Amino acid sequence: MAATILLVEDEPAIQELIAFNLQHAGHLVVRSNDAEQALSLVRHALPDVVLLDWMLPGASGVELARRLRADPRTRTIPIIMLTARAEEGDKVLGLEAGADDYVTKPFSPRELLARIKAVLRRRAPQMTDDVVEAGGLRLDPQTHRVTGLDQTISLGPTEFRLLHFLMTHPERVHTRSHLLDQVWGDHVFVEERTVDVHIRRLRAALEPSRLDTLVQTVRGTGYRFSASTD
Ligand code: CA
């Protein structure tokens, strides 16, 4: 599981230590020293997770968390607050501001990595390496292998990401623009009909195992992955 992590921390030594450990674990780290810089980085490209120090020069980590939660574009980014303050009231304040989790300094790199994995699993299951199985399909993100009723299904990289997203967000209707954001990435200019092209390719790959019906068109809205039989 390699995620792009925005690290907002003003203490150079701590920033360096955390960045080193995250990079060592395979993550891509984007660093920021304060809330303003963090916001401009987020405007440029959405990270998968934000690690947010509570005490920052200028706007605090709590204020930044509130601003990220208030904007529809950044509302669902997982946020983990980093803080030296262990008081219960602070924890509640951090969580109320929209943080998903809270790590008290000093923390071990292992603990931080486990927390990152946990928030990704909750908020963005397509970011983890967990095997997904539904309706006879099995997708392994680690080996990039997909099988349908035990037959190997070969998919292009986009179809693979599309199927992974759909399987980890089943029974929900996704609009084309939502799929573009989630599968193609933020700020990538792709026409909405591109989604249709890749859905067609995905279905064609699933057809020999007769699992193409798992990927359903919801007329006028978008697409849905459904393994339910009714
Ligand atoms: Ca600080």
Side-chain angles (χ1 to χ4, degrees):
M1 174 201 60
T4 302
I5 299 174
L6 173 60
L7 171 60
V8 192
E9 166 64 81
D10 60 312
E11 209 77 53
I14 298 175
Q15 189 193 81
E16 184 60 39
L17 183 70
I18 294 174
F20 174 82
N21 282 294
L22 295 177
Q23 280 158 358
H24 189 71
H27 297 297
L28 182 75
V29 182
V30 180
R31 306 184 197 196
S32 165
N33 302 314
D34 58 52
E36 280 311 309
Q37 194 188 3
L39 282 172
S40 92
L41 287 167
V42 165
R43 269 194 291 274
H44 178 68
L46 284 181
D48 299 311
V49 182
V50 179
L51 294 184
L52 190 49
D53 184 32
W54 183 296
M55 300 293 282
L56 292 168
S60 73
V62 171
E63 282 171 57
L64 178 56
R66 279 204 191 98
R67 289 182 66 174
L68 292 173
R69 285 293 175 257
D71 182 343
R73 189 172 157 263
T74 53
R75 196 166 47 206
T76 60
I77 304 176
I79 299 173
I80 300 175
M81 298 281 309
L82 309 174
T83 180
R85 304 156 63 143
E87 288 103 49
E88 196 60 24
D90 289 341
K91 181 171 179 169
V92 171
L93 189 60
L95 295 174
E96 276 175 1
D100 293 274
D101 205 352
Y102 190 99
V103 186
T104 306
K105 294 175 190 170
F107 47 83
S108 73
R110 271 184 71 174
E111 182 190 356
L112 183 61
L113 289 167
R115 302 279 185 125
I116 289 170
K117 193 163 184 176
V119 295
L120 282 174
R121 187 170 282 141
R122 279 205 306 276
R123 284 242 183 205
Q126 78 278 12
M127 290 296 307
T128 69
D129 284 340
D130 298 344
V131 169
V132 208
E133 283 182 277
L137 265 182
R138 182 179 195 278
L139 182 146
D140 185 340
Q142 224 154 9
T143 59
H144 265 248
R145 288 190 61 166
V146 179
T147 53
L149 306 175
D150 296 325
Q151 302 285 306
T152 298
I153 293 171
S154 128
L155 295 178
T158 304
E159 286 72 48
F160 183 89
R161 288 202 310 276
L162 184 57
L163 181 62
H164 194 194
F165 178 78
L166 290 171
M167 286 182 78
T168 48
H169 301 81
E171 310 300 335
R172 272 169 272 177
V173 182
H174 305 287
T175 62
R176 288 169 180 80
S177 77
H178 183 65
L179 289 171
L180 281 177
D181 271 354
Q182 296 293 318
V183 178
W184 275 257
D186 189 57
H187 284 214
V188 176
F189 185 77
V190 189
E191 286 183 65
E192 293 201 352
R193 65 174 173 224
T194 304
V195 175
D196 304 330
V197 171
H198 288 276
I199 288 277
R200 262 202 303 280
R201 286 188 197 159
L202 175 58
R203 281 191 182 133
L206 298 177
E207 213 181 346
S209 52
R210 300 187 179 208
L211 294 174
D212 51 307
T213 53
L214 293 170
V215 181
Q216 302 168 351
T217 301
V218 181
R219 200 171 287 277
T221 314
Y223 297 101
R224 170 177 59 204
F225 182 92
S226 177
S228 77
T229 46
D230 38 77

